[in-house]
Coordinates of all heavy atoms in Angstrom, one line a residue:
M29 N -13.9 -18.1 11.7 CA -13.3 -19.3 11.7 C -11.9 -19.3 12.4 O -11.1 -18.5 11.9 CB -13.2 -19.9 10.3 CG -12.9 -21.4 10.3 SD -12.7 -22.0 8.6 CE -14.1 -21.7 7.8
T30 N -11.7 -20.1 13.4 CA -10.4 -20.1 14.0 C -9.4 -21.1 13.0 O -10.0 -21.8 12.2 CB -10.4 -20.7 15.4 OG1 -10.8 -22.1 15.3 CG2 -11.4 -19.9 16.3
L31 N -8.2 -21.0 13.4 CA -7.2 -21.9 12.7 C -7.7 -23.4 13.0 O -7.5 -24.2 12.0 CB -5.8 -21.6 13.2 CG -5.1 -20.5 12.7 CD1 -3.7 -20.2 13.5 CD2 -4.8 -20.5 11.2
S32 N -8.0 -23.6 14.2 CA -8.3 -25.0 14.6 C -9.6 -25.5 13.8 O -9.6 -26.5 13.3 CB -8.6 -25.0 16.1 OG -9.2 -26.2 16.5
E33 N -10.6 -24.6 13.7 CA -11.7 -24.9 13.0 C -11.5 -25.1 11.4 O -12.0 -26.0 10.9 CB -12.8 -23.9 13.2 CG -13.5 -23.8 14.4 CD -14.3 -22.4 14.6 OE1 -14.2 -21.5 14.0 OE2 -15.1 -22.5 15.6
A34 N -10.5 -24.3 10.9 CA -10.1 -24.5 9.6 C -9.3 -25.9 9.3 O -9.6 -26.6 8.4 CB -9.2 -23.4 9.1
Q35 N -8.6 -26.2 10.4 CA -7.9 -27.6 10.2 C -8.9 -28.7 10.3 O -8.8 -29.6 9.6 CB -6.7 -27.7 11.3 CG -5.6 -26.8 11.0 CD -4.4 -27.2 11.8 OE1 -4.0 -26.6 12.8 NE2 -3.7 -28.2 11.3
Q36 N -9.9 -28.6 11.1 CA -10.9 -29.6 11.3 C -11.8 -29.6 10.0 O -12.1 -30.9 9.6 CB -11.8 -29.3 12.6 CG -11.1 -29.7 13.9 CD -11.8 -29.1 15.0 OE1 -13.1 -29.0 15.0 NE2 -11.2 -28.7 16.1
L37 N -12.1 -28.5 9.5 CA -13.0 -28.5 8.2 C -12.2 -29.2 7.0 O -12.8 -30.0 6.3 CB -13.4 -27.1 7.9 CG -14.1 -26.7 6.8 CD1 -15.6 -27.3 7.0 CD2 -14.3 -25.2 6.6
I38 N -11.0 -28.8 6.9 CA -10.2 -29.3 5.8 C -10.0 -30.9 6.0 O -10.0 -31.7 5.1 CB -8.9 -28.6 5.7 CG1 -9.1 -27.2 5.2 CG2 -7.9 -29.3 4.8 CD1 -9.5 -26.9 3.8
E39 N -9.8 -31.2 7.3 CA -9.5 -32.6 7.6 C -10.8 -33.5 7.2 O -10.6 -34.4 6.6 CB -9.4 -32.8 9.1 CG -9.3 -34.2 9.7 CD -8.0 -34.8 9.4 OE1 -6.9 -34.1 9.3 OE2 -7.9 -36.0 9.6
R40 N -12.0 -32.9 7.5 CA -13.3 -33.7 7.2 C -13.4 -33.7 5.8 O -13.8 -34.7 5.2 CB -14.4 -32.9 7.8 CG -15.7 -33.8 7.9 CD -16.7 -33.1 8.9 NE -17.7 -32.6 8.2 CZ -18.5 -31.5 8.6 NH1 -18.3 -30.9 9.8 NH2 -19.6 -31.1 7.9
M41 N -13.1 -32.7 5.0 CA -13.4 -32.7 3.6 C -12.5 -33.4 2.7 O -12.8 -34.1 1.7 CB -13.5 -31.1 3.0 CG -14.8 -30.4 3.3 SD -14.9 -28.8 2.4 CE -13.8 -27.9 3.4
Y42 N -11.1 -33.3 3.1 CA -10.1 -33.8 2.2 C -9.1 -34.8 2.8 O -8.1 -35.2 2.1 CB -9.3 -32.7 1.7 CG -10.1 -31.5 1.0 CD1 -10.1 -30.2 1.5 CD2 -10.8 -31.8 -0.2 CE1 -10.8 -29.3 0.8 CE2 -11.6 -30.8 -0.8 CZ -11.7 -29.6 -0.4 OH -12.3 -28.6 -1.0
S43 N -9.1 -35.1 4.0 CA -8.0 -35.9 4.7 C -7.7 -37.2 3.9 O -6.6 -37.5 3.7 CB -8.3 -36.2 6.1 OG -9.5 -37.1 6.2
A44 N -8.7 -37.9 3.4 CA -8.4 -39.2 2.7 C -7.6 -38.9 1.5 O -6.5 -39.7 1.3 CB -9.7 -39.9 2.4
K45 N -7.9 -38.0 0.6 CA -7.3 -37.7 -0.6 C -5.8 -37.0 -0.2 O -4.8 -37.4 -0.8 CB -8.0 -36.7 -1.5 CG -9.2 -37.2 -2.2 CD -10.1 -36.1 -2.6 CE -9.8 -35.5 -3.9 NZ -10.8 -34.5 -4.3
D46 N -5.8 -36.3 0.9 CA -4.5 -35.5 1.3 C -3.5 -36.6 1.7 O -2.3 -36.5 1.3 CB -4.8 -34.6 2.4 CG -5.7 -33.3 1.9 OD1 -5.8 -33.1 0.7 OD2 -6.3 -32.7 2.8
R47 N -3.9 -37.6 2.5 CA -2.9 -38.5 2.9 C -2.3 -39.3 1.8 O -1.1 -39.7 1.8 CB -3.6 -39.5 4.0 CG -4.1 -38.8 5.1 CD -3.4 -39.2 6.6 NE -3.4 -37.9 7.5 CZ -4.6 -37.4 7.9 NH1 -5.7 -38.0 7.7 NH2 -4.5 -36.4 8.7
K48 N -3.2 -39.6 0.8 CA -2.7 -40.4 -0.4 C -1.7 -39.7 -1.2 O -0.8 -40.2 -1.6 CB -4.0 -40.7 -1.3 CG -4.1 -42.3 -1.6 CD -5.1 -42.4 -2.7 CE -6.3 -43.4 -2.2 NZ -7.3 -43.4 -3.2
R49 N -2.0 -38.4 -1.3 CA -1.1 -37.5 -2.1 C 0.2 -37.3 -1.4 O 1.3 -37.2 -2.1 CB -1.9 -36.1 -2.4 CG -1.1 -35.2 -3.2 CD -1.7 -33.8 -3.5 NE -3.1 -33.8 -3.4 CZ -3.8 -33.4 -2.4 NH1 -3.4 -33.1 -1.3 NH2 -5.2 -33.5 -2.4
G50 N 0.1 -37.2 -0.1 CA 1.3 -36.8 0.6 C 1.8 -35.4 0.6 O 1.2 -34.6 -0.1
A51 N 2.9 -35.2 1.4 CA 3.3 -33.8 1.6 C 3.9 -33.2 0.4 O 3.7 -32.0 0.1 CB 4.4 -33.8 2.8
A52 N 4.7 -33.9 -0.4 CA 5.3 -33.4 -1.6 C 4.3 -32.9 -2.7 O 4.4 -31.8 -3.2 CB 6.3 -34.4 -2.4
G53 N 3.4 -33.8 -2.9 CA 2.3 -33.4 -3.8 C 1.5 -32.3 -3.3 O 1.1 -31.3 -4.0
T54 N 1.1 -32.3 -2.1 CA 0.4 -31.1 -1.4 C 1.2 -29.8 -1.4 O 0.7 -28.7 -1.8 CB 0.0 -31.5 0.1 OG1 -0.7 -32.6 0.0 CG2 -0.7 -30.4 0.7
F55 N 2.6 -29.9 -1.3 CA 3.4 -28.7 -1.4 C 3.3 -28.1 -2.8 O 3.2 -26.9 -3.0 CB 4.8 -29.1 -1.0 CG 5.7 -27.9 -0.9 CD1 5.7 -27.2 0.3 CD2 6.4 -27.4 -1.9 CE1 6.5 -26.0 0.5 CE2 7.3 -26.3 -1.8 CZ 7.2 -25.6 -0.5
L56 N 3.4 -28.9 -3.8 CA 3.2 -28.4 -5.3 C 1.8 -27.6 -5.4 O 1.7 -26.7 -6.0 CB 3.3 -29.6 -6.2 CG 4.6 -30.3 -6.5 CD1 4.6 -31.4 -7.4 CD2 5.6 -29.1 -6.9
W57 N 0.7 -28.3 -4.9 CA -0.5 -27.5 -5.0 C -0.5 -26.2 -4.3 O -1.0 -25.3 -4.8 CB -1.6 -28.5 -4.4 CG -2.2 -29.3 -5.3 CD1 -2.1 -30.7 -5.4 CD2 -3.2 -29.0 -6.5 NE1 -2.8 -31.3 -6.4 CE2 -3.4 -30.3 -7.0 CE3 -3.7 -27.9 -7.0 CZ2 -4.3 -30.5 -8.3 CZ3 -4.6 -28.0 -8.0 CH2 -4.7 -29.2 -8.7
L58 N 0.1 -26.2 -3.1 CA 0.3 -24.9 -2.4 C 1.0 -23.9 -3.3 O 0.6 -22.7 -3.3 CB 0.9 -25.2 -1.0 CG 1.4 -23.9 -0.2 CD1 0.0 -23.0 0.2 CD2 2.1 -24.3 1.0
M59 N 2.2 -24.3 -3.9 CA 2.8 -23.4 -4.6 C 2.1 -23.0 -6.0 O 2.2 -21.7 -6.3 CB 4.2 -24.1 -5.2 CG 5.2 -24.3 -4.0 SD 5.7 -22.8 -3.1 CE 4.8 -23.0 -1.6
E60 N 1.3 -23.8 -6.5 CA 0.4 -23.4 -7.6 C -0.6 -22.2 -7.2 O -0.8 -21.3 -7.9 CB -0.4 -24.7 -8.2 CG -1.1 -24.4 -9.4 CD -1.7 -25.6 -10.1 OE1 -0.9 -26.5 -10.2 OE2 -2.8 -25.5 -10.6
E61 N -1.2 -22.5 -5.9 CA -2.1 -21.5 -5.5 C -1.4 -20.2 -5.2 O -2.0 -19.2 -5.3 CB -2.8 -22.1 -4.2 CG -3.8 -23.2 -4.7 CD -4.9 -22.8 -5.6 OE1 -5.2 -21.6 -5.7 OE2 -5.5 -23.6 -6.1
I62 N -0.2 -20.3 -4.6 CA 0.6 -19.0 -4.5 C 0.9 -18.3 -5.7 O 0.7 -17.1 -5.8 CB 1.9 -19.3 -3.6 CG1 1.5 -19.7 -2.2 CG2 3.0 -18.2 -3.7 CD1 2.8 -20.0 -1.3
G63 N 1.1 -19.0 -6.8 CA 1.2 -18.4 -8.0 C -0.1 -17.7 -8.5 O 0.0 -16.6 -9.1
E64 N -1.2 -18.3 -8.2 CA -2.5 -17.7 -8.6 C -2.7 -16.4 -7.8 O -3.2 -15.5 -8.3 CB -3.6 -18.7 -8.5 CG -3.6 -19.8 -9.3 CD -4.6 -20.8 -9.2 OE1 -5.6 -20.6 -8.4 OE2 -4.6 -22.0 -9.8
L65 N -2.4 -16.5 -6.5 CA -2.4 -15.3 -5.6 C -1.5 -14.1 -6.2 O -2.0 -13.0 -6.1 CB -2.0 -15.6 -4.1 CG -2.1 -14.4 -3.1 CD1 -3.4 -13.9 -3.1 CD2 -1.6 -14.9 -1.9
A66 N -0.3 -14.6 -6.6 CA 0.6 -13.5 -7.1 C 0.0 -13.0 -8.4 O 0.1 -11.7 -8.5 CB 1.9 -14.2 -7.5
A67 N -0.6 -13.6 -9.2 CA -1.2 -13.1 -10.4 C -2.4 -12.3 -10.0 O -2.5 -11.1 -10.6 CB -1.8 -14.3 -11.3
A68 N -3.2 -12.6 -9.1 CA -4.3 -11.8 -8.7 C -3.9 -10.5 -8.1 O -4.6 -9.5 -8.5 CB -5.2 -12.5 -7.6
I69 N -2.9 -10.4 -7.3 CA -2.3 -9.1 -6.9 C -1.6 -8.4 -8.0 O -1.9 -7.2 -8.2 CB -1.3 -9.4 -5.8 CG1 -2.2 -9.9 -4.5 CG2 -0.7 -8.1 -5.3 CD1 -1.4 -10.4 -3.2
G70 N -0.8 -9.0 -8.7 CA 0.1 -8.4 -9.7 C -0.7 -7.8 -10.8 O -0.4 -6.7 -11.4
E71 N -1.9 -8.5 -11.1 CA -2.6 -8.1 -12.3 C -3.8 -7.2 -11.8 O -4.6 -6.7 -12.6 CB -3.3 -9.2 -13.0 CG -2.3 -10.2 -13.7 CD -2.9 -11.5 -14.2 OE1 -4.1 -11.8 -14.0 OE2 -2.1 -12.3 -14.5
G72 N -3.8 -6.9 -10.5 CA -4.8 -6.0 -9.9 C -6.2 -6.5 -10.2 O -7.1 -5.7 -10.5
Q73 N -6.4 -7.7 -10.0 CA -7.7 -8.4 -10.2 C -8.7 -7.8 -9.1 O -8.2 -7.2 -8.1 CB -7.6 -9.9 -10.1 CG -6.8 -10.5 -11.3 CD -6.6 -12.0 -11.2 OE1 -7.4 -12.7 -10.3 NE2 -5.8 -12.7 -11.9
A74 N -10.0 -8.1 -9.3 CA -11.0 -7.6 -8.3 C -10.7 -8.1 -6.8 O -10.1 -9.3 -6.8 CB -12.5 -8.1 -8.9
H75 N -11.1 -7.3 -6.0 CA -11.0 -7.7 -4.5 C -11.5 -9.1 -4.3 O -10.9 -9.8 -3.5 CB -11.7 -6.7 -3.7 CG -11.3 -6.9 -2.2 ND1 -10.0 -6.5 -1.6 CD2 -12.0 -7.4 -1.2 CE1 -10.2 -6.8 -0.4 NE2 -11.2 -7.3 -0.1
S76 N -12.6 -9.4 -4.9 CA -13.3 -10.8 -4.5 C -12.3 -11.9 -5.2 O -12.4 -12.9 -4.5 CB -14.6 -10.8 -5.3 OG -14.5 -10.6 -6.7
E77 N -11.7 -11.6 -6.2 CA -10.7 -12.6 -6.8 C -9.5 -12.7 -5.8 O -9.1 -14.0 -5.6 CB -10.3 -12.1 -8.2 CG -11.2 -12.3 -9.3 CD -11.7 -13.6 -9.5 OE1 -11.0 -14.6 -9.6 OE2 -13.0 -13.8 -9.7
K78 N -8.9 -11.6 -5.3 CA -7.9 -11.8 -4.4 C -8.3 -12.5 -3.2 O -7.6 -13.4 -2.7 CB -7.4 -10.3 -4.0 CG -6.8 -9.5 -5.0 CD -6.4 -8.1 -4.5 CE -6.0 -7.3 -5.8 NZ -5.8 -5.9 -5.3
E79 N -9.5 -12.3 -2.6 CA -10.0 -12.8 -1.5 C -10.0 -14.4 -1.7 O -9.7 -15.2 -0.9 CB -11.5 -12.4 -1.3 CG -11.7 -11.8 0.1 CD -13.0 -11.3 0.3 OE1 -14.0 -11.8 -0.3 OE2 -13.2 -10.3 1.0
A80 N -10.5 -14.8 -2.9 CA -10.6 -16.2 -3.2 C -9.2 -16.8 -3.3 O -9.2 -18.1 -2.8 CB -11.4 -16.3 -4.6
E81 N -8.3 -16.2 -3.8 CA -7.0 -16.7 -3.9 C -6.3 -16.8 -2.4 O -5.6 -17.8 -2.3 CB -6.0 -16.0 -4.9 CG -6.5 -15.9 -6.3 CD -6.7 -17.5 -6.9 OE1 -6.2 -18.4 -6.3 OE2 -7.5 -17.6 -7.9
F82 N -6.5 -15.9 -1.7 CA -6.0 -15.9 -0.3 C -6.6 -17.1 0.4 O -5.9 -17.9 1.2 CB -6.4 -14.6 0.6 CG -5.3 -13.5 0.5 CD1 -5.5 -12.4 -0.4 CD2 -4.1 -13.7 1.1 CE1 -4.4 -11.5 -0.5 CE2 -3.2 -12.7 1.1 CZ -3.4 -11.6 0.2
A83 N -7.9 -17.4 0.2 CA -8.6 -18.6 0.8 C -8.0 -19.9 0.3 O -7.7 -20.7 1.0 CB -10.1 -18.5 0.5
D84 N -7.6 -19.9 -1.0 CA -7.0 -21.1 -1.6 C -5.7 -21.3 -1.0 O -5.4 -22.5 -0.6 CB -6.9 -20.9 -3.1 CG -8.2 -21.1 -3.9 OD1 -9.2 -21.5 -3.3 OD2 -8.2 -20.5 -5.1
V85 N -4.9 -20.3 -0.9 CA -3.6 -20.5 -0.3 C -3.7 -21.0 1.1 O -2.9 -22.0 1.6 CB -2.6 -19.1 -0.4 CG1 -1.5 -19.2 0.5 CG2 -2.3 -18.9 -1.8
L86 N -4.5 -20.3 1.9 CA -4.7 -20.7 3.4 C -5.2 -22.1 3.4 O -4.6 -22.9 4.2 CB -5.6 -19.7 4.0 CG -5.6 -19.8 5.6 CD1 -4.2 -19.7 6.2 CD2 -6.6 -18.8 6.1
A87 N -6.1 -22.6 2.6 CA -6.7 -23.9 2.6 C -5.5 -25.0 2.4 O -5.5 -26.0 3.0 CB -7.8 -24.0 1.5
W88 N -4.7 -24.6 1.3 CA -3.6 -25.5 1.0 C -2.5 -25.6 2.0 O -1.9 -26.6 2.3 CB -3.0 -25.3 -0.4 CG -3.9 -25.9 -1.4 CD1 -4.9 -25.3 -2.3 CD2 -4.1 -27.3 -1.7 NE1 -5.5 -26.2 -3.0 CE2 -5.0 -27.5 -2.7 CE3 -3.4 -28.5 -1.4 CZ2 -5.4 -28.7 -3.3 CZ3 -3.7 -29.7 -1.9 CH2 -4.8 -29.7 -2.8
L89 N -2.2 -24.4 2.8 CA -1.3 -24.5 3.8 C -1.8 -25.3 5.0 O -1.2 -26.0 5.6 CB -1.0 -23.1 4.3 CG 0.1 -22.8 5.3 CD1 1.4 -23.3 4.8 CD2 0.2 -21.3 5.8
V90 N -3.2 -25.0 5.3 CA -3.8 -25.9 6.3 C -3.7 -27.3 5.9 O -3.5 -28.2 6.9 CB -5.3 -25.4 6.5 CG1 -6.2 -26.4 7.3 CG2 -5.3 -24.1 7.2
T91 N -4.0 -27.7 4.8 CA -3.9 -29.1 4.2 C -2.5 -29.6 4.5 O -2.3 -30.7 5.0 CB -4.2 -29.2 2.8 OG1 -5.6 -28.8 2.5 CG2 -4.0 -30.5 2.3
L92 N -1.5 -28.9 4.2 CA 0.0 -29.4 4.4 C 0.2 -29.6 5.8 O 0.8 -30.6 6.2 CB 0.8 -28.3 3.8 CG 2.3 -28.8 3.7 CD1 2.5 -30.1 2.9 CD2 3.2 -27.5 3.1
A93 N -0.3 -28.7 6.6 CA -0.2 -28.8 8.1 C -0.8 -30.1 8.5 O -0.3 -30.9 9.3 CB -0.7 -27.6 8.9
N94 N -2.0 -30.4 8.1 CA -2.8 -31.5 8.5 C -2.0 -32.8 8.0 O -1.8 -33.8 8.8 CB -4.1 -31.6 7.9 CG -5.1 -30.7 8.6 OD1 -4.9 -30.2 9.5 ND2 -6.3 -30.7 7.9
V95 N -1.5 -32.8 6.9 CA -0.7 -34.0 6.4 C 0.6 -34.3 7.2 O 0.9 -35.3 7.5 CB -0.3 -33.9 4.8 CG1 0.7 -34.9 4.3 CG2 -1.5 -33.9 3.9
E96 N 1.2 -33.1 7.7 CA 2.4 -33.3 8.4 C 2.0 -33.3 10.0 O 3.0 -33.4 10.8 CB 3.2 -32.0 8.1 CG 3.9 -32.1 6.9 CD 5.0 -33.3 6.8 OE1 5.9 -33.2 7.7 OE2 4.9 -34.1 6.0
G97 N 0.8 -33.3 10.3 CA 0.5 -33.5 11.8 C 0.8 -32.2 12.6 O 1.1 -32.4 13.7
V98 N 0.8 -31.1 12.0 CA 1.1 -29.8 12.7 C -0.1 -29.2 13.1 O -1.1 -28.9 12.3 CB 2.0 -29.0 11.8 CG1 2.2 -27.5 12.5 CG2 3.4 -29.6 11.6
D99 N -0.3 -28.8 14.4 CA -1.4 -28.0 15.0 C -0.9 -26.5 14.7 O -0.1 -25.9 15.5 CB -1.5 -28.3 16.4 CG -2.7 -27.6 17.1 OD1 -3.0 -26.5 16.6 OD2 -3.1 -28.1 18.0
L100 N -1.7 -25.8 13.9 CA -1.2 -24.4 13.5 C -1.4 -23.5 14.7 O -0.7 -22.4 14.9 CB -2.0 -23.9 12.3 CG -1.6 -24.7 11.0 CD1 -2.5 -24.2 9.8 CD2 -0.2 -24.2 10.6
T101 N -2.5 -23.7 15.5 CA -2.7 -22.8 16.8 C -1.5 -22.9 17.6 O -1.0 -21.9 18.1 CB -4.0 -23.3 17.6 OG1 -5.0 -23.3 16.6 CG2 -4.2 -22.3 18.6
R102 N -1.0 -24.2 17.8 CA 0.1 -24.3 18.7 C 1.4 -23.7 18.1 O 2.2 -23.1 18.7 CB 0.3 -25.9 18.9 CG 1.4 -26.3 19.8 CD 1.4 -27.8 19.9 NE 2.7 -28.3 20.0 CZ 3.1 -29.0 21.1 NH1 2.2 -29.2 22.0 NH2 4.4 -29.2 21.3
A103 N 1.5 -24.0 16.7 CA 2.6 -23.5 16.0 C 2.7 -21.9 16.0 O 3.8 -21.4 16.2 CB 2.6 -23.8 14.5
M104 N 1.7 -21.2 16.1 CA 1.6 -19.8 16.1 C 1.8 -19.2 17.5 O 2.0 -18.0 17.6 CB 0.2 -19.3 15.5 CG 0.1 -19.2 14.0 SD 1.3 -18.4 13.2 CE 0.9 -16.7 13.5
E105 N 2.0 -20.0 18.5 CA 2.3 -19.5 19.7 C 3.6 -18.8 19.9 O 3.7 -17.8 20.7 CB 2.3 -20.8 20.9 CG 0.9 -21.2 21.3 CD 0.2 -20.0 22.1 OE1 0.8 -19.6 23.0 OE2 -1.1 -19.8 21.9
K106 N 4.5 -19.2 19.0 CA 5.8 -18.5 19.0 C 5.7 -17.0 18.7 O 6.6 -16.2 18.9 CB 6.8 -19.2 18.0 CG 6.5 -19.0 16.6 CD 7.4 -19.9 15.8 CE 8.8 -19.0 15.5 NZ 9.5 -19.5 14.4
Y107 N 4.5 -16.6 18.2 CA 4.3 -15.1 17.8 C 3.5 -14.5 18.9 O 3.4 -13.1 18.8 CB 3.7 -15.0 16.5 CG 4.6 -15.2 15.4 CD1 4.6 -16.6 14.8 CD2 5.3 -14.2 14.8 CE1 5.5 -16.8 13.7 CE2 6.2 -14.6 13.6 CZ 6.2 -15.7 13.1 OH 7.1 -16.0 12.1
R108 N 2.9 -15.2 19.8 CA 2.0 -14.6 20.8 C 2.7 -13.4 21.7 O 1.9 -12.5 21.9 CB 1.4 -15.8 21.7 CG 0.4 -15.2 22.6 CD -0.2 -16.1 23.6 NE -1.0 -17.1 23.0 CZ -2.3 -16.9 22.7 NH1 -2.9 -15.8 22.9 NH2 -3.0 -17.8 22.2
N109 N 3.8 -13.6 22.0 CA 4.4 -12.7 23.0 C 5.4 -11.7 22.4 O 6.2 -11.1 23.0 CB 5.0 -13.4 24.2 CG 4.0 -14.1 24.9 OD1 2.9 -13.6 25.3 ND2 4.2 -15.4 25.3
G110 N 5.2 -11.6 21.0 CA 6.1 -10.6 20.3 C 6.9 -11.3 19.1 O 6.7 -12.6 18.9
C111 N 7.6 -10.5 18.5 CA 8.5 -11.0 17.3 C 9.4 -12.1 17.8 O 10.2 -11.9 18.7 CB 9.2 -9.9 16.7 SG 10.4 -10.3 15.5
P112 N 9.4 -13.3 17.1 CA 10.4 -14.3 17.6 C 11.8 -13.8 17.4 O 12.8 -14.4 18.0 CB 10.0 -15.5 16.6 CG 8.7 -15.1 16.1 CD 8.5 -13.7 16.0
G113 N 12.1 -12.9 16.5 CA 13.5 -12.4 16.3 C 13.9 -11.5 17.4 O 15.1 -11.7 18.0
C114 N 13.2 -10.5 17.8 CA 13.6 -9.5 18.8 C 12.8 -9.5 20.1 O 13.1 -8.8 21.0 CB 13.6 -8.2 18.1 SG 11.9 -7.7 17.8
A115 N 11.8 -10.3 20.2 CA 10.9 -10.4 21.3 C 10.1 -9.2 21.6 O 9.5 -8.9 22.7 CB 11.6 -10.9 22.5
E116 N 10.0 -8.2 20.7 CA 9.2 -7.0 20.8 C 7.9 -7.1 20.3 O 7.8 -7.8 19.2 CB 10.0 -5.8 20.3 CG 11.3 -5.5 20.9 CD 11.4 -4.9 22.1 OE1 10.3 -4.3 22.6 OE2 12.5 -4.7 22.7
M117 N 6.9 -6.5 20.8 CA 5.5 -6.5 20.3 C 5.5 -5.8 19.0 O 4.7 -6.2 18.1 CB 4.5 -6.2 21.3 CG 3.1 -6.7 21.0 SD 2.9 -8.5 20.5 CE 3.0 -9.2 22.1
V118 N 6.2 -4.7 18.9 CA 6.4 -4.0 17.5 C 7.7 -4.2 17.2 O 8.7 -3.8 17.7 CB 6.0 -2.5 17.7 CG1 6.3 -1.8 16.3 CG2 4.6 -2.3 18.2
C119 N 7.9 -5.1 16.1 CA 9.4 -5.6 15.6 C 10.3 -4.4 15.6 O 10.0 -3.5 15.0 CB 9.2 -6.3 14.3 SG 10.8 -6.9 13.7
R120 N 11.5 -4.7 16.2 CA 12.6 -3.8 16.2 C 13.8 -4.5 15.7 O 15.1 -4.0 16.0 CB 12.7 -3.1 17.6 CG 11.6 -2.4 18.0 CD 11.8 -1.8 19.4 NE 12.9 -0.7 19.4 CZ 13.3 -0.1 20.4 NH1 12.8 -0.4 21.7 NH2 14.3 0.8 20.5
C121 N 13.6 -5.6 15.0 CA 14.9 -6.3 14.5 C 15.9 -5.5 13.9 O 17.1 -5.5 14.1 CB 14.4 -7.5 13.5 SG 13.7 -8.8 14.4
D122 N 15.4 -4.6 12.8 CA 16.4 -3.8 12.1 C 17.2 -2.9 13.1 O 18.4 -2.8 12.8 CB 15.5 -2.9 11.1 CG 14.9 -3.6 10.0 OD1 15.4 -4.8 9.9 OD2 14.1 -3.1 9.2
E123 N 16.6 -2.4 14.1 CA 17.3 -1.4 15.0 C 18.3 -2.2 15.8 O 19.3 -1.6 16.2 CB 16.4 -0.8 16.0 CG 15.3 0.1 15.3 CD 14.2 0.5 16.3 OE1 14.5 0.8 17.4 OE2 13.1 0.6 15.9
K124 N 18.2 -3.5 16.0 CA 19.2 -4.3 16.8 C 20.3 -4.8 16.0 O 21.3 -5.4 16.6 CB 18.4 -5.3 17.5 CG 17.5 -4.8 18.5 CD 16.8 -5.8 19.4 CE 15.9 -5.3 20.5 NZ 15.3 -6.2 21.3
K125 N 20.4 -4.5 14.6 CA 21.5 -5.0 13.9 C 22.8 -4.2 14.1 O 22.7 -3.0 14.3 CB 21.2 -5.0 12.4 CG 20.5 -6.4 12.0 CD 20.0 -6.2 10.5 CE 19.2 -7.4 10.2 NZ 18.4 -7.2 9.0
Ligands
MG206 MG1 -6.5 -20.4 -6.6
ZN207 ZN1 11.7 -8.5 15.3

């Protein structure tokens, strides 16, 4: 699934509820899911549990992007040609300090 497909899928499933909730409420849900991911990793839960929590976090990040009208494929373009900090394909930001 591409980022664009994920945004379309989430749009189809949840957009009506998402718009009503707005960005602030959606952000809280995203933070809650990040907490669940932290627990899954920190508690050393099964790989399948970690996978499920990564999916939840990504779904809520995609939701927030949809609510804010952000195209994630376009947004990620800033990483296409290298690190946005140092412009190198293998980051050398530390070396340039
Ligand atoms: Mg979760
Ligand atoms: Zn860098």
Side-chain angles (χ1 to χ4, degrees):
M29 193 187 302
T30 65
L31 282 171
S32 172
E33 286 167 348
Q35 286 196 262
Q36 286 167 32
L37 183 67
I38 294 289
E39 176 77 20
R40 198 165 108 204
M41 280 191 283
Y42 301 118
S43 64
K45 288 160 88 178
D46 291 343
R47 299 244 150 66
K48 227 189 240 175
R49 185 187 322 103
T54 300
F55 191 83
L56 286 178
W57 273 106
L58 172 61
M59 290 302 107
E60 186 167 321
E61 291 299 344
I62 285 176
E64 290 177 11
L65 176 60
I69 293 170
E71 295 166 8
Q73 293 177 14
H75 188 76
S76 61
E77 292 297 324
K78 291 180 195 171
E79 239 177 32
E81 296 304 344
F82 271 102
D84 289 345
V85 167
L86 192 55
W88 278 102
L89 185 64
V90 164
T91 298
L92 188 56
N94 284 353
V95 168
E96 285 295 301
V98 168
D99 179 336
L100 289 173
T101 305
R102 189 184 144 115
M104 284 302 290
E105 278 297 313
K106 69 183 284 197
Y107 286 91
R108 181 182 288 283
N109 296 314
C111 168
C114 63
E116 300 284 344
M117 202 43 85
V118 177
C119 176
R120 299 177 67 182
C121 282
D122 289 347
E123 295 169 39
K124 292 188 174 179
K125 270 178 196 162

